[in-house]
Amino acid sequence: MLEDMGRVKKRVDGLILDELLPKSHTVPAIDLLYTMMRDYPARPGKGMRPYLCVTSCEAFGGKEDNCLLTAAAIELFQNWILIHDDIEDGSEMRRGSPALHKKYDWVLALNTGDALHARMWESLLRNRAALGESRTFDIMAEFARMIDETTEGQQMELRWVVDNDWGMSEADYYLMCTKKTSWYTVISPMRLGGFVAGAPTSSVDSLVEPGKKLGVGFQIHDDVLNLSAGSKYGKETADDLLEGKRTLILIKLLSAADPQDKARIVEIFSMSRVARRPFMGEILDLIHKYDALGYAAARSTELVNDALAMMKNVCWTGNEGAARRIEEIARFAVERDW
Amino acid sequence: MLEDMGRVKKRVDGLILDELLPKSHTVPAIDLLYTMMRDYPARPGKGMRPYLCVTSCEAFGGKEDNCLLTAAAIELFQNWILIHDDIEDGSEMRRGSPALHKKYDWVLALNTGDALHARMWESLLRNRAALGESRTFDIMAEFARMIDETTEGQQMELRWVVDNDWGMSEADYYLMCTKKTSWYTVISPMRLGGFVAGAPTSSVDSLVEPGKKLGVGFQIHDDVLNLSAGSKYGKETADDLLEGKRTLILIKLLSAADPQDKARIVEIFSMSRVARRPFMGEILDLIHKYDALGYAAARSTELVNDALAMMKNVCWTGNEGAARRIEEIARFAVERDW
């Protein structure tokens, strides 16, 4: 499965870098814009989302070749929104290198995100030739929905940080995470594969609920990795903590901690990022004391198991091997150590 | 003409605020996102771009009703890109009130721009019902081109500021301004009106060159107003100067100034925005000494006259009154004092 995922990733990357994104311009500032647009797409990545899209397409009887533009547009989506997310979150690193706004002036990075966003829609318009107008419209409507959901989730998360709010419940977290992660990571990639294949609306709609759980499970696993991973992981280790990111781990920690520990945790996260840096070890110790990592890991596995059980009811109409591969991708999402 | 422009603006605003943008949400953070998305669209504006679009549509024999969604999407484009521009430029005010990132936390404003961007595409997808698939594709492709041009122009301008570069020529300025202003202000609004009306490609393409000149003329007039306007103008008076915006006025000033004055100007603009604030009067005096405002105003009029001469060759196939109204809009663009 991993090998096949790598193969699809390579095809999608080739399409993005060779055909969808502009290469050079005689005006230096515009040439720099193009260089910056190509920066995140050229960085290493697992390519799980485009693979899920292509695999879902095959599971509904569609062809990989017809799905590549849409899979590439999913990658373009992730790249432009990550540029903006990294600015919003003040992230230092992305996929093993400095975040775009750390490598270049941040105002140029913001503008680059917008330029890349437009290229995503341009790429989707190209579907018209191979898929026809009706399917292309379905695909574009799904992208609009996906961005609506993602920006709503992002707004929820940003506001917690802006307001120094630590009162969110697990239910608040699941809603935020469904919107911010599940839609663009799982639900839309699978649904888009269905639209490319011309699957019936009822089948495509049946992917939403299991996709929500799968996406949240994936995100929790990602957050657990961020606090436990070594060099394999592209982001600065534990930078989630430094950013004050509201993860299930921290939410569990806050609800499980005794009043004294809880007060200390909130005190540390009320400091500026620079000021709180020396206390990250203390937070990690508390995370271990209350086994918040273990709790989160267990929830992640549980969510994926629930999702897989629900997916048994999805009426795949195509390649049976592909339908099984979707389960493998789901398992991989919560078992990977990178 | 102004009355008619106000009438169209009202229709477009109604469409945006009543139908295209979401109104409320039970989750407070998402409700805030919606409030923020509706903020710039609800502020007063001339509505010149949607009016140009609707008028061009009629001049090509199309109907205003069929053009409203596209005209509204032009307004949505302007609103999301202004949110991001205001962040990038560090602008204080927009249309008479604090810029969105001054009214709310700037990271929330950045995310709001992205959310509004997606709603723009969603609005365009709705054209399918009344215009059919083929025209809707033409319209969306034009929007993609418009954003490509605008972000390239923005990158040129931002880089001058980031690099503290004052070596640009008038030709550099015209290229930047064509990309950053002409496309979304004139060229695309007129072309989009043509696409809605189903005008032939050759006619729609003949709008590009005059539109370039008209847009630059419009922008120069806007910059002249910024330095001379009173309370009628929505932005902080002379805030262009404070932002170090590269206008034709400043470029002319630098090329006309004697070495001593030139060195002083560059010295002042090399200061931080806060540090340069007390010296804006000195810059204004130099602008008057070298009559840079007069030069810019004359160039603006010249460009619009050139554009109008070129537009005589456009083959309007519809309402003659509408074709004449386009000339009136062009005159208005360089004669208005607000």
Side-chain angles (χ1 to χ4, degrees):
Chain A
M1 194 273 293
L2 282 183
E3 209 174 297
D4 200 36
M5 186 158 86
R7 182 188 59 77
V8 170
K9 165 93 174 121
K10 222 172 173 170
R11 290 195 76 187
V12 166
D13 286 351
L15 183 59
I16 290 173
L17 295 171
D18 296 339
E19 290 183 45
L20 300 179
L21 294 184
K23 291 195 175 82
S24 64
H25 199 285
T26 51
V27 174
I30 302 175
D31 195 64
L32 177 67
L33 172 65
Y34 293 172
T35 299
M36 291 175 71
M37 284 164 73
R38 300 168 68 84
D39 191 304
Y40 277 14
R43 297 189 185 190
K46 289 182 282 295
M48 210 183 67
R49 294 170 187 84
Y51 188 57
L52 201 50
C53 179
V54 164
T55 308
S56 168
C57 175
E58 291 180 329
F60 280 118
K63 285 192 182 124
E64 178 177 305
D65 281 358
N66 283 340
C67 199
L68 285 182
L69 264 173
T70 305
I74 293 172
E75 285 286 85
L76 289 176
F77 167 75
Q78 202 199 1
N79 284 306
W80 75 253
I81 207 152
L82 283 179
I83 293 173
H84 285 181
D85 272 18
D86 285 346
I87 295 173
E88 288 158 2
D89 300 342
S91 300
E92 303 280 335
M93 302 289 285
R94 174 60 61 189
R95 297 181 190 147
S97 303
L100 198 66
H101 68 283
K102 294 286 173 185
K103 209 168 151 181
Y104 302 94
D105 194 281
W106 72 273
V107 298
L108 299 178
L110 201 174
N111 186 54
T112 301
D114 290 335
L116 206 54
H117 185 169
R119 299 286 175 167
M120 178 200 83
W121 288 100
E122 262 176 285
S123 304
L124 291 172
L125 288 171
R126 295 200 196 193
N127 267 323
R128 189 184 182 188
L131 303 183
E133 292 176 338
S134 179
R135 286 187 194 180
T136 303
F137 272 103
D138 287 344
I139 290 164
M140 288 192 292
E142 181 68 17
F143 266 82
R145 170 79 191 264
M146 176 175 85
I147 305 173
D148 290 348
E149 295 286 348
T150 310
T151 50
E152 289 181 7
Q154 176 70 349
Q155 189 87 356
M156 289 181 73
E157 192 181 41
L158 287 175
R159 210 174 163 205
W160 290 335
V161 175
V162 165
D163 294 350
N164 191 32
D165 182 352
W166 289 97
M168 71 287 309
S169 64
E170 279 201 29
D172 294 330
Y173 174 79
Y174 289 134
L175 178 64
M176 180 283 289
C177 192
T178 294
K179 286 181 172 284
K180 189 180 163 174
T181 303
S182 297
W183 273 91
Y184 94 90
T185 303
V186 182
I187 301 171
S188 289
M190 290 199 299
R191 281 167 58 84
L192 287 162
F195 288 128
V196 170
T201 309
S202 59
S203 298
V204 173
D205 287 347
S206 72
L207 296 165
V208 174
E209 292 306 319
K212 285 181 182 175
K213 286 177 186 277
L214 196 49
V216 176
F218 166 86
Q219 183 61 56
I220 295 172
H221 184 73
D222 209 56
D223 294 339
V224 169
L225 274 182
N226 186 271
L227 292 192
S228 47
S231 59
K232 269 189 169 181
Y233 198 85
K235 292 186 84 180
E236 190 188 3
T237 302
D239 61 355
D240 281 356
L241 273 192
L242 213 52
E243 287 172 17
K245 184 174 168 185
R246 274 62 174 167
T247 59
L248 184 65
I249 301 155
L250 281 194
I251 292 166
K252 176 64 187 175
L253 174 61
L254 282 163
S255 69
D258 63 39
Q260 197 184 335
D261 283 341
K262 184 174 172 175
R264 176 65 179 152
I265 295 160
V266 172
E267 183 189 6
I268 289 173
F269 281 111
S270 301
M271 299 173 184
S272 74
R273 190 177 302 204
V274 173
R276 79 168 76 113
R277 191 184 282 269
F279 306 108
M280 291 303 103
E282 195 179 331
I283 297 284
L284 277 172
D285 287 345
L286 287 167
I287 286 171
H288 292 303
K289 175 177 170 187
Y290 290 100
D291 194 26
L293 270 182
Y295 175 80
R299 281 297 292 141
S300 165
T301 303
E302 197 184 324
L303 282 160
V304 173
N305 286 339
D306 285 357
L308 288 174
M310 290 166 81
M311 291 237 272
K312 298 257 180 260
N313 299 321
V314 174
C315 182
W316 305 107
T317 46
N319 183 323
E320 254 189 57
R324 269 199 305 278
R325 229 156 45 235
I326 290 194
E327 289 182 30
E328 283 180 63
I329 301 169
R331 293 257 166 246
F332 165 74
V334 289
E335 286 167 7
R336 73 204 152 84
D337 61 354
W338 55 293
Chain B
M1 194 273 296
L2 282 183
E3 209 173 297
D4 200 35
M5 187 158 87
R7 183 189 58 78
V8 170
K9 164 92 173 124
K10 222 170 173 174
R11 289 195 77 185
V12 166
D13 286 352
L15 184 59
I16 290 173
L17 295 171
D18 296 339
E19 290 184 44
L20 300 178
L21 295 185
K23 290 194 176 84
S24 64
H25 199 286
T26 51
V27 174
I30 301 175
D31 194 63
L32 176 67
L33 172 65
Y34 293 172
T35 299
M36 291 177 71
M37 285 164 73
R38 300 169 67 84
D39 191 304
Y40 276 14
R43 296 190 187 190
K46 289 182 281 296
M48 213 185 64
R49 294 170 186 84
Y51 188 57
L52 201 50
C53 178
V54 163
T55 308
S56 167
C57 176
E58 291 180 329
F60 281 117
K63 285 192 182 123
E64 179 178 303
D65 281 358
N66 283 340
C67 200
L68 284 182
L69 264 173
T70 306
I74 293 173
E75 285 286 86
L76 290 176
F77 168 75
Q78 201 199 3
N79 284 307
W80 74 252
I81 207 153
L82 282 180
I83 293 173
H84 285 180
D85 272 20
D86 286 345
I87 295 173
E88 288 158 1
D89 300 342
S91 300
E92 302 281 336
M93 301 289 284
R94 172 63 58 188
R95 297 181 191 148
S97 305
L100 198 67
H101 68 283
K102 294 286 171 183
K103 209 168 151 180
Y104 302 95
D105 194 282
W106 72 273
V107 299
L108 299 179
L110 201 173
N111 186 54
T112 301
D114 290 335
L116 206 53
H117 185 168
R119 298 286 175 167
M120 178 201 82
W121 288 100
E122 261 175 283
S123 304
L124 290 172
L125 288 171
R126 296 200 196 191
N127 268 322
R128 188 184 184 189
L131 303 183
E133 292 175 337
S134 181
R135 288 188 194 179
T136 303
F137 271 103
D138 287 343
I139 290 164
M140 287 193 292
E142 182 68 17
F143 266 82
R145 171 77 190 266
M146 177 175 84
I147 305 173
D148 290 349
E149 295 287 348
T150 309
T151 50
E152 289 181 8
Q154 176 71 347
Q155 188 87 357
M156 289 181 74
E157 192 181 42
L158 287 174
R159 211 177 162 202
W160 289 335
V161 175
V162 165
D163 294 351
N164 191 31
D165 181 352
W166 288 98
M168 70 288 307
S169 64
E170 280 201 28
D172 294 331
Y173 174 78
Y174 290 134
L175 177 64
M176 180 282 288
C177 192
T178 295
K179 285 180 172 286
K180 188 179 165 175
T181 303
S182 298
W183 273 90
Y184 95 90
T185 303
V186 181
I187 302 171
S188 290
M190 290 197 299
R191 282 167 59 83
L192 287 162
F195 289 127
V196 170
T201 310
S202 60
S203 299
V204 174
D205 286 348
S206 72
L207 296 166
V208 175
E209 292 307 319
K212 284 182 183 174
K213 286 176 187 277
L214 197 49
V216 176
F218 167 85
Q219 182 62 55
I220 295 172
H221 184 73
D222 209 55
D223 294 339
V224 169
L225 274 183
N226 186 270
L227 291 192
S228 47
S231 60
K232 271 190 167 179
Y233 199 86
K235 290 185 87 181
E236 189 189 5
T237 302
D239 62 352
D240 281 357
L241 273 192
L242 213 53
E243 286 172 19
K245 183 174 168 185
R246 273 62 174 168
T247 59
L248 184 64
I249 302 157
L250 281 193
I251 292 166
K252 176 64 185 174
L253 174 62
L254 282 163
S255 70
D258 63 39
Q260 197 185 333
D261 283 342
K262 185 175 170 172
R264 177 63 181 155
I265 296 160
V266 172
E267 185 190 4
I268 289 173
F269 281 111
S270 302
M271 300 172 183
S272 74
R273 189 176 302 204
V274 173
R276 79 167 75 112
R277 190 183 281 270
F279 305 109
M280 290 304 103
E282 195 179 332
I283 297 284
L284 276 172
D285 288 345
L286 287 167
I287 285 171
H288 292 302
K289 174 177 171 185
Y290 290 101
D291 193 27
L293 269 181
Y295 174 80
R299 282 296 292 139
S300 166
T301 303
E302 198 184 325
L303 282 159
V304 173
N305 286 338
D306 284 359
L308 287 174
M310 291 167 80
M311 292 236 272
K312 298 258 181 258
N313 299 319
V314 174
C315 182
W316 305 107
T317 46
N319 184 322
E320 254 188 55
R324 269 199 306 277
R325 229 155 44 235
I326 290 194
E327 289 182 31
E328 284 181 62
I329 302 170
R331 292 260 166 243
F332 166 73
V334 289
E335 286 167 7
R336 74 202 151 86
D337 62 353
W338 54 295

